[in-house]
Amino acid sequence: MVEKIINEGQLEDSDENSNSDPTSLCDFNIDNIQPNSTVILNCILDLHGNTVNIPENVTFLYEGGDIINGTLNISDNTVISGELLNPSLSISGSYPQTKDTSFYFDPRRWGIIEGKVSNEIAISNSSIFNKVINLAKEYGITNFIIDEMDAYFGVGNNPSHYALRLPSNINLMMSDNTNIRVQPNSYAWNDLILCWEADNILISGGKLWGDRYTHDYESESGTHEFGYLINFKAVHNSVIDNVELHEATGDGFHILGGSDRNADGSLKPNRRESINVTIKNCLINDNRRDNISVVDGRNIFIENNTFRKAGNDSDSPSANAKSVSPRVAVMIESREKVAPDGNSVYKWEITENVHIKNNVFENNRADIVLLSGEKAYIYQNTFKSLSGVTVGAAVDGKIYNNKFESQEGPISNSYGLLLESRTFANGEDRVKNYEVTNNTFIGYQYGILANGTDHTIKDNIITNCKRGITLGASTNLQLDNNIISSNISDSYGFYTFSFESYLKNCIIKNGEINVLGTPLFLINKNNDEDGDITIDNVNFKGRIRLQAVQNITIKNSIFSSTKFVDSDPILINNNI
């Protein structure tokens, strides 16, 4: 066999080695290796438990062989092919450079036991994985690649109850053949993959599985809603791409900061938030609490994903495995507390500039809830569940170019968009400044329910809803060029509930209303509060009805007839 240690300048003449058997033992040793040498490993180099000192500028190249059973004590500028790293080879001295930045993780080579295993083995799997990915990073690897693996990982070997923890500057790249599973456990809090105060992480491909249907909900107290498949805690500039996230006891993906903030929303000393995080092209399915929760973070992008079965309990074999509140596909829920004066909040968490774009929502209990936060943008999505978007106490958002279509028709309490009525003690609205434009709504009991302050609802098409746009307690509500049509009996266009409330400076203009019931029905509005309602240039195809409504002007509009009870509207230049 030809010598496999090639001195400087000889590498180009070494191709006569290519017919070596990579499973045979090498017929050379490296005890007296010289600086600037290249060692081609197309055989098994057994170090027999010894430590070999390696001089400077030595390169170890992989050609199917291996280095086993010993330690390389290396000097500066050593280069080694990543394929040669294995559990029986230790490296001391200087850190080597890997030949390239990609490392192919073979679970069997490193001792991962696949399939259903004991808790001890699952914890061992976690320890092995964490050791190898950190070792790879130390050697300059950026792409940690896994193909075929189906293994359970334990969460009980550290105080934070995580199975796998990713370091900064690593790409965990999986294939369709990669299945990473939570070992069934009894912990109320746990993470399959934790990224904590880390930067520049990519998680791509693969399937992640929680233990929702095998979890022990009894041994430890609590709701057990805090089991996450991926938990980003104070993470910067990171991406999740084309990953499947199934059956967590809590959330599929959870984003938060490193700690609570100060009451004014500023970060505490030496703490950080999550910022610039993207999740895209993923399937997020059947997680027990929410499919995604964003509780603290800025510049969050949720794009081109499919969300299914959030809060849907059709597969739950037991009461404990059934979903737990809030049961939402995407939940934006920065934690706030109303201050003692009742007119402001302590911003212990903040969400800001969240983009939810080009996603498909289907068969969820609720699709999106903006419980709090600022500057959420929801656009170009398809909503197919019974509850589309709910805005709780959030401000300064836009909802545009979406398609809302109930798959079950206008059943009770279904809606496309709900802008809720939430106020401070002084009456100031907490739902403010939303633009709702160019959306389509099909087949709900309520197309849009509008409460709050300073909203613009414009150029929407609402079809076959029992109630097209329902007007609630609001100030400065602008409704422009909305088209409402319905062939459902007893359907309404613009509608209000019968309890007393106010519409302050409400303007309804342009557009056409063509429903089988009543195109405009307002009742008990502005009797106890100052407020003005103006209707201008709207084509109502049918009779309009007002009952106990004050301070309303209708002009330049078309309607077939009127019914006014305890109302005295100003009518200007209308067509009857």
Side-chain angles (χ1 to χ4, degrees):
M1 183 177 288
V2 177
E3 181 65 65
K4 302 304 185 298
I5 301 176
I6 302 171
N7 293 323
E8 186 176 22
Q10 296 180 322
L11 188 57
E12 61 191 22
D13 300 321
S14 65
D15 52 349
E16 58 185 303
N17 302 327
S18 59
N19 294 323
S20 298
D21 179 3
T23 65
S24 65
L25 292 174
C26 297
D27 62 353
F28 63 89
N29 62 61
I30 55 173
D31 292 342
N32 297 308
I33 191 171
Q34 298 300 307
N36 306 309
S37 298
T38 296
V39 182
I40 297 177
L41 273 301
N42 54 7
C43 54
I44 305 298
L45 180 60
D46 192 339
L47 302 181
H48 300 289
N50 296 319
T51 297
V52 179
N53 295 317
I54 305 300
E56 293 183 349
N57 301 313
V58 172
T59 298
F60 294 88
L61 293 181
Y62 171 79
E63 287 192 359
D66 220 338
I67 308 174
I68 62 173
N69 298 330
T71 300
L72 298 179
N73 183 35
I74 65 174
S75 300
D76 292 342
N77 301 316
T78 297
V79 176
I80 186 169
S81 293
E83 295 90 340
L84 296 172
L85 301 176
N86 69 83
S88 72
L89 173 64
S90 298
I91 296 178
S92 61
S94 299
Y95 281 118
Q97 305 167 30
T98 49
K99 184 174 180 293
D100 58 47
T101 58
S102 294
F103 173 78
Y104 293 84
F105 179 69
D106 181 346
R108 289 155 290 280
R109 176 178 175 85
W110 289 92
I112 296 290
I113 308 287
E114 298 184 73
K116 292 184 177 181
V117 294
S118 67
N119 290 335
E120 291 75 17
I121 291 175
I123 288 173
S124 173
N125 284 346
S126 296
S127 298
I128 291 169
F129 185 97
N130 290 323
K131 176 182 177 181
V132 176
I133 199 167
N134 281 286
L135 180 69
K137 183 200 171 178
E138 289 173 356
Y139 292 166
I141 297 294
T142 55
N143 299 326
F144 191 91
I145 302 170
I146 310 174
D147 185 14
E148 188 173 345
M149 181 177 75
D150 193 336
Y152 287 83
F153 294 86
V155 298
N157 59 336
N158 55 76
S160 297
H161 297 159
Y162 63 80
L164 312 178
R165 182 169 177 177
L166 304 187
S168 294
N169 304 306
I170 201 78
N171 300 330
L172 174 59
M173 304 171 71
M174 300 174 283
S175 77
D176 288 343
N177 300 317
T178 309
N179 290 272
I180 297 179
R181 303 178 186 271
V182 174
Q183 177 74 357
N185 64 86
S186 62
Y187 295 110
W189 298 72
N190 64 86
D191 304 318
L192 178 55
I193 296 178
L194 173 64
C195 303
W196 190 352
E197 295 189 347
D199 303 316
N200 305 314
I201 289 173
L202 168 67
I203 303 173
S204 65
K207 302 177 180 70
L208 308 182
W209 300 88
D211 65 327
R212 174 177 180 176
Y213 300 117
T214 54
H215 188 81
D216 175 4
Y217 294 93
E218 303 292 341
S219 297
E220 185 173 313
S221 63
T223 60
H224 292 249
E225 64 187 272
F226 305 109
Y228 308 131
L229 296 179
I230 301 177
N231 191 7
F232 272 14
K233 188 173 183 178
V235 170
H236 291 185
N237 306 319
S238 296
V239 176
I240 299 171
D241 184 10
N242 192 34
V243 181
E244 294 186 16
L245 300 98
H246 302 272
E247 299 176 7
T249 56
D251 301 340
F253 180 40
H254 189 253
I255 307 173
L256 74 165
S259 72
D260 281 351
R261 298 170 180 259
N262 297 312
D264 65 355
S266 61
L267 292 171
K268 292 181 178 180
N270 303 315
R271 296 293 185 177
R272 39 184 252 172
E273 60 190 343
S274 286
I275 190 168
N276 296 333
V277 170
T278 297
I279 179 167
K280 61 182 182 178
N281 306 316
C282 294
L283 169 62
I284 306 105
N285 172 63
D286 198 22
N287 296 289
R288 180 169 166 259
R289 183 177 180 270
D290 299 328
N291 279 348
I292 290 181
S293 293
V294 182
V295 300
D296 190 288
R298 292 185 298 118
N299 303 343
I300 309 298
F301 300 89
I302 301 170
E303 302 176 346
N304 301 302
N305 304 288
T306 298
F307 295 91
R308 294 180 183 155
K309 296 176 65 176
N312 185 322
D313 292 322
S314 59
D315 293 334
S316 296
S318 69
N320 285 335
K322 287 187 179 298
S323 59
V324 61
S325 183
R327 305 181 182 95
V328 178
V330 177
M331 184 74 178
I332 311 299
E333 54 172 343
S334 49
R335 189 162 60 91
E336 300 174 340
K337 180 181 178 181
V338 177
D341 64 5
N343 297 320
S344 60
V345 294
Y346 296 147
K347 294 186 175 182
W348 290 334
E349 293 171 332
I350 286 178
T351 61
E352 184 177 349
N353 196 34
V354 178
H355 290 252
I356 305 173
K357 173 185 177 184
N358 277 343
N359 303 283
V360 175
F361 297 82
E362 51 192 17
N363 201 22
N364 303 298
R365 180 179 175 272
D367 287 338
I368 296 176
V369 173
L370 308 179
L371 185 64
S372 51
E374 303 176 15
K375 296 182 176 64
Y377 305 102
I378 300 170
Y379 50 106
Q380 299 173 6
N381 302 282
T382 299
F383 298 95
K384 299 181 179 181
S385 305
L386 292 179
S387 299
V389 176
T390 303
V391 180
V395 299
D396 299 334
K398 295 182 179 181
I399 301 168
Y400 59 97
N401 296 345
N402 301 285
K403 182 177 182 180
F404 297 78
E405 184 172 11
S406 170
Q407 302 301 291
E408 300 182 47
I411 67 174
S412 179
N413 296 320
S414 62
Y415 59 84
L417 169 63
L418 168 59
L419 300 167
E420 287 191 344
S421 176
R422 296 197 180 195
T423 61
F424 288 114
N426 60 8
E428 179 187 348
D429 282 310
R430 299 186 63 187
V431 180
K432 297 190 294 186
N433 195 27
Y434 267 79
E435 295 181 14
V436 180
T437 57
N438 292 298
N439 303 284
T440 62
F441 299 84
I442 304 171
Y444 296 92
Q445 182 180 15
Y446 301 101
I448 299 174
L449 297 111
N451 304 271
T453 293
D454 295 331
H455 304 319
T456 298
I457 300 174
K458 181 178 180 181
D459 296 329
N460 300 285
I461 298 175
I462 303 171
T463 305
N464 288 339
C465 296
K466 290 281 286 185
R467 308 289 186 266
I469 298 178
T470 301
L471 306 174
S474 57
T475 302
N476 298 334
L477 192 60
Q478 309 286 315
L479 300 113
D480 186 4
N481 197 40
N482 297 288
I483 309 299
I484 304 174
S485 63
S486 176
N487 58 19
I488 298 172
S489 62
D490 197 32
S491 52
Y492 293 78
F494 290 103
Y495 175 82
T496 64
F497 294 116
S498 60
F499 54 80
E500 181 68 52
S501 64
Y502 60 89
L503 298 174
K504 295 182 179 179
N505 192 26
C506 175
I507 299 176
I508 303 172
K509 64 181 180 179
N510 305 318
E512 180 176 286
I513 315 300
N514 186 7
V515 298
L516 287 189
T518 304
L520 174 70
F521 176 52
L522 309 182
I523 181 172
N524 291 332
K525 296 296 167 278
N526 299 344
N527 291 291
D528 298 323
E529 303 239 11
D530 291 334
D532 295 302
I533 305 168
T534 301
I535 298 173
D536 186 6
N537 193 39
V538 180
N539 185 359
F540 297 103
K541 292 185 175 292
R543 183 179 70 167
I544 64 174
R545 179 180 174 186
L546 307 177
Q547 183 171 329
V549 178
Q550 311 307 320
N551 305 323
I552 181 168
T553 299
I554 304 174
K555 60 183 180 179
N556 305 316
S557 296
I558 300 172
F559 38 86
S560 64
S561 60
T562 64
K563 183 176 181 179
F564 302 147
V565 179
D566 297 327
S567 304
D568 188 18
I570 298 173
L571 303 178
I572 303 173
N573 197 31
N574 300 294
N575 257 330
I576 299 180

